[in-house]
Amino acid sequence: MSISRRALLVCGALAPTLSACAARAPSGADPVTGSAPTSRSSSLSSSTSRTPATTTARHPGTPSAAPASSTRTSARQPVAGHCLMVGLPAGSDLERVATLVTRHRLAGVFMLGHWTSTSAIREATAAIHRAARAAGLPRAIIAADQEGGLVHNLTSPAFTPMPSAERLGAGDPAVCRSLASTAGSQMRRAGLNLVLAPVADVVDPRLGSANAPIGALHRGYGTNPDTVARFVTAAVTGFRQGGVATSVKHFPGLGAVRANTDLAVATDTTTSVTSPGLKSFRAGIAAGSQTVMVSSAVYSRIDPARPAVFSTAVVTDLLRGRLGFSGVVVSDDLGAARAVAQVPAAERARRFLDAGGDLALCADPSLVPAMVEGLRVDRSPARVARSAARVEALIGRLAG
C-alpha cells in the first residue's frame, strides 16, 4: 500500500546483519516512557480470526448518522464512519484529522511518511484516541507500516530498525518473531495498536525485482510459498506478542504483478483460487491475524471484471469462504491509488463493503466526507451494520 506516498527508510542501506539488528532490540527500560516493559499479548492472543467457512455472523442494527455528541456506540448502533480509517501524514494538520475522526466517527487513522520525533508520535496518537473517545469509541485504531527494510513509518529513536523481509526470509524465523515482538511493543508504547504487516505476497521468481510493489522493494520473505508461510507465521506471532494487531497483506497476493497499484492498474494473470501462493495467507490467518488487507490489483483468473477490493469473488467467496476468515477485512488505499481512480469517491468504500470488506483506508482526508456519505446511503444498511460491528469488536480488543 502507498509505497510511493509513504516515505521510505533504508535500514542502513540494508547493511546491518540480522544478528546486529536483533542485538539492538531494547531490554529493560521502555525507550518511550523509561519504565520497564510489560506483556500485552493476552488480549490479542486470546482472540481468533479463523472459523469454519460455513459460519455466518449476524449483528443486528442499522447504521446511524448521529452526530459526534450522541451516546456511546455499540454493536446495536453501528455507525458508517466506523468502516473508515484516514491517513495521517507526518507534519500534517493533526487537529484537522482529529476533527474528521470525531465528526464522522471514524475507526481511526494510519500514519504515513517519516515520523522521526517520538514526542510528535505520542502527541498524535494521544490526540486521535481522544478524538475517538469524543465520538463514543473506547479508543481509535492507529496503524502504521512498520514492515522493516525500506518500509518504516516510525523512525524515531524509540523504534529499532528492522531488516527487510527479504533479508529476514533468508534467516531464522525465530529472529523474525523476536524482532516483530520488539517492534510491536515499541508501537504499543507509543500509542499504536495495529501494524499493517506482515507482507504475505510470494514473489514470482521469474519476475524478481521486476515485481514493482514487492520484489523491487525487498518486501517479500521469498519466492517459495512454504518459506513465506513460515515467516508470516513468525511475524504475526511476534507482533501479537508485542501487543499489536496485524494485517496480513496484500490478498490474494501482489507477487505476480509488474505494476505498482498506487501508480497504475495492475493485473495478475496467474493467481487462482487454488494457487500455492495462498498458503502464506492461510498461515497468517491460522496464526491469529485479526485483519487481512485486500489488494487493488485485478486477478483475471478469479474476477477479470473488477479490482480485488471490489470483488465478491475475492473477498467473500475466496477469503471468507475458502480460507474461512471471519475477522476484519481491510482495503488497500482507496484514496489516492491509481488503481481505483476511475471510481467516484462516494462509491469506493461502498463497493468495498458490497464485496464483503469491512474497513476502508483512505489516504486523502478530503475524500472522507464523500466516502462516509456513500456508506450512509448504502443500498444494504445491514451490510454496513455487520462490518461496523466487526470493526467495533476489534477496537474493543486493542490496546489504547
Side-chain angles (χ1 to χ4, degrees):
M1 174 186 173
S2 195
I3 295 305
S4 59
R5 290 183 302 280
R6 300 176 190 203
L8 304 177
L9 172 69
V10 178
C11 180
L14 302 180
T17 63
L18 298 183
S19 59
C21 285
R24 295 173 68 182
S27 61
D30 184 318
V32 177
T33 65
S35 61
T38 57
S39 172
R40 287 294 304 234
S41 60
S42 58
S43 63
L44 291 173
S45 298
S46 64
S47 61
T48 180
S49 298
R50 189 180 182 92
T51 60
T54 55
T55 300
T56 302
R58 295 181 179 272
H59 301 280
T62 56
S64 167
S69 59
S70 64
T71 57
R72 180 174 293 276
T73 304
S74 71
R76 296 180 179 277
Q77 187 188 20
V79 176
H82 291 180
C83 299
L84 285 163
M85 287 175 64
V86 63
L88 178 60
S92 63
D93 187 338
L94 176 58
E95 183 177 354
R96 177 196 180 200
V97 175
T99 298
L100 277 176
V101 170
T102 301
R103 178 177 299 159
H104 298 289
R105 303 173 75 177
L106 305 182
V109 304
F110 55 106
M111 302 176 82
L112 300 172
H114 277 174
W115 289 80
T116 59
S117 165
T118 300
S119 60
I121 293 169
R122 293 186 63 82
E123 178 186 1
T125 59
I128 297 302
H129 283 307
R130 285 195 300 270
R133 289 193 290 269
L137 286 170
R139 64 190 61 82
I141 301 175
I142 304 182
D145 281 311
Q146 203 71 355
E147 298 174 14
L150 293 172
V151 187
H152 279 85
N153 291 136
L154 311 174
T155 63
S156 82
F159 296 89
T160 305
M162 287 176 62
S164 69
E166 184 175 284
R167 286 182 62 87
L168 287 171
D172 185 346
V175 174
C176 177
R177 182 175 63 252
S178 177
L179 290 172
S181 179
T182 296
S185 296
Q186 291 168 345
M187 291 179 71
R188 175 181 53 78
R189 290 194 291 265
L192 294 93
N193 47 32
L194 172 65
V195 59
L196 299 177
V199 168
D201 310 296
V202 180
V203 175
D204 187 331
R206 296 169 297 182
L207 289 178
S209 61
N211 170 238
I214 310 299
L217 299 172
H218 315 289
R219 298 172 71 199
Y221 291 109
T223 60
N224 182 291
D226 293 326
T227 298
V228 176
R230 286 195 295 273
F231 281 87
V232 166
T233 297
V236 168
T237 302
F239 280 122
R240 296 188 70 204
Q241 287 173 343
V244 295
T246 57
S247 191
V248 176
K249 62 185 185 184
H250 309 78
F251 189 81
L254 283 175
V257 302
R258 290 183 177 272
N260 187 327
T261 53
D262 289 329
L263 306 174
V265 175
T267 300
D268 177 326
T269 61
T270 62
T271 299
S272 71
V273 297
T274 59
S275 289
L278 295 176
K279 183 173 185 176
S280 51
F281 291 97
R282 293 182 186 275
I285 293 169
S289 185
Q290 296 90 340
T291 82
V292 173
M293 180 185 288
V294 179
S295 90
S296 52
V298 174
Y299 297 83
S300 60
R301 296 187 63 186
I302 303 175
D303 185 349
R306 54 192 61 82
V309 287
F310 300 147
S311 171
T312 300
V314 171
V315 181
T316 296
D317 299 343
L318 180 55
L319 178 55
R320 293 210 186 277
R322 279 178 173 264
L323 272 64
F325 181 66
S326 63
V328 172
V329 177
V330 180
S331 77
D332 207 336
D333 177 36
L334 299 181
R338 185 67 59 86
V340 298
Q342 299 305 311
V343 178
E347 287 287 324
R348 295 177 196 174
R350 181 191 299 176
R351 291 190 189 184
F352 175 58
L353 265 65
D354 283 348
D358 301 307
L359 184 57
L361 304 190
C362 178
D364 184 349
S366 70
L367 299 182
V368 166
M371 288 192 180
V372 172
E373 186 60 25
L375 291 177
R376 283 177 177 158
V377 298
D378 191 89
R379 296 176 298 275
S380 179
R383 185 178 292 115
V384 178
R386 286 194 294 271
S387 290
R390 286 193 192 103
V391 174
E392 290 160 12
L394 172 63
I395 291 172
R397 296 193 297 267
L398 296 177

